[in-house]
Amino acid sequence: MENVTDRTSNPFGMNPPRETPVPGYGDANADFHVVGDHPGVHGGADTGVPFTGAERGLRLQRALAAVGLLTDVGDRPGVENLYLSYLHMADADGSPDEAAYRDLEPFFDAELRAITAHVLIPVGERAIDHVLREYTARHAKHAPVDPDALHAEELLGAGFLVLPAKDPGDWTDADERAFVDALADVLDHDYRRETDLGRFLTGPDPYRVR
């Protein structure tokens, strides 16, 4: 199913019961979906755009721009086949508690399934934990994650390719190069998690499904 909206900010009209939300931003038909924690960690409380207004967000933007997923960086970055969102899209003083994450998780999940990206890029420990636990079969519910060990490693999920990134605020120059190189490698091969069922149908056209 192809999305038809051309809105870049909050294309699906998410309206969580929280003040000052920072909704998803980007291409509603994107193949790549970057998942962060919340605005207090990765920025956007003042701009309304994920991964903006904070140095760690800008560092991630620069890495994405290096492989062409952003056409420019800043408070309203130019997106190219990319979507940016948060597990907890509302601005929060300090950190949201577990109940707040649970309240907003359905909004995040609905957005993720509406985008139907092929590659998920969870950023930081909480996002990595959530994506591996909910969208792959490789992570036990209570097992801790190690962002250092998982950084820039391609993992196969349930219909997704997952490329975790440790928090950009903790990146060394080597971490940044590893992430950029891993993204470039993904872009260089067929990352789409699809199967062609056209052989079961009449006619020559392919029929690709997730």
Side-chain angles (χ1 to χ4, degrees):
M1 182 176 69
E2 183 177 355
N3 300 320
V4 295
T5 180
D6 59 359
R7 289 191 299 169
T8 302
S9 181
N10 199 15
F12 303 104
M14 297 294 175
N15 187 27
R18 292 288 192 279
E19 295 182 358
T20 61
V22 179
Y25 177 93
D27 178 0
N29 297 298
D31 288 339
F32 292 79
H33 185 168
V34 177
V35 179
D37 190 341
H38 68 87
V41 173
H42 293 127
D46 294 328
T47 63
V49 176
F51 296 99
T52 62
E55 177 53 37
R56 66 183 66 191
L58 290 173
R59 188 167 195 183
L60 178 69
Q61 284 193 43
R62 291 191 291 269
L64 296 169
V67 296
L69 292 174
L70 291 181
T71 56
D72 59 74
V73 302
D75 289 347
R76 304 277 304 180
V79 290
E80 186 70 35
N81 199 21
L82 181 74
Y83 196 78
L84 306 161
S85 71
Y86 287 147
L87 293 177
H88 189 285
M89 69 172 67
D91 187 15
D93 296 327
S95 295
D97 60 21
E98 293 302 320
Y101 278 107
R102 287 194 298 272
D103 285 346
L104 291 194
E105 194 277 335
F107 291 89
F108 166 76
D109 185 69
E111 196 168 46
L112 180 142
R113 295 183 187 281
I115 296 297
T116 63
H118 294 279
V119 182
L120 301 181
I121 305 173
V123 179
E125 183 173 356
R126 179 176 280 273
I128 294 171
D129 177 80
H130 184 86
V131 167
L132 294 186
R133 177 162 35 87
E134 298 296 332
Y135 305 109
T136 78
R138 59 173 289 127
H139 181 47
K141 185 174 182 180
H142 299 294
V145 299
D146 183 348
D148 288 297
L150 295 170
H151 179 71
E153 293 292 324
E154 288 187 34
L155 308 173
L156 294 180
F160 303 98
L161 177 66
V162 180
L163 186 69
K166 64 190 286 188
D167 194 287
D170 299 327
W171 284 1
T172 63
D173 289 345
D175 290 328
E176 184 170 355
R177 287 194 300 272
F179 179 66
V180 170
D181 288 347
L183 268 179
D185 286 345
V186 170
L187 285 160
D188 198 42
H189 66 253
D190 186 6
Y191 51 78
R192 292 172 176 83
R193 315 307 302 167
E194 296 176 328
T195 300
D196 184 5
L197 299 183
R199 65 187 182 277
F200 298 115
L201 304 175
T202 59
D205 295 332
Y207 178 64
R208 305 189 71 84
V209 298
R210 295 293 294 273

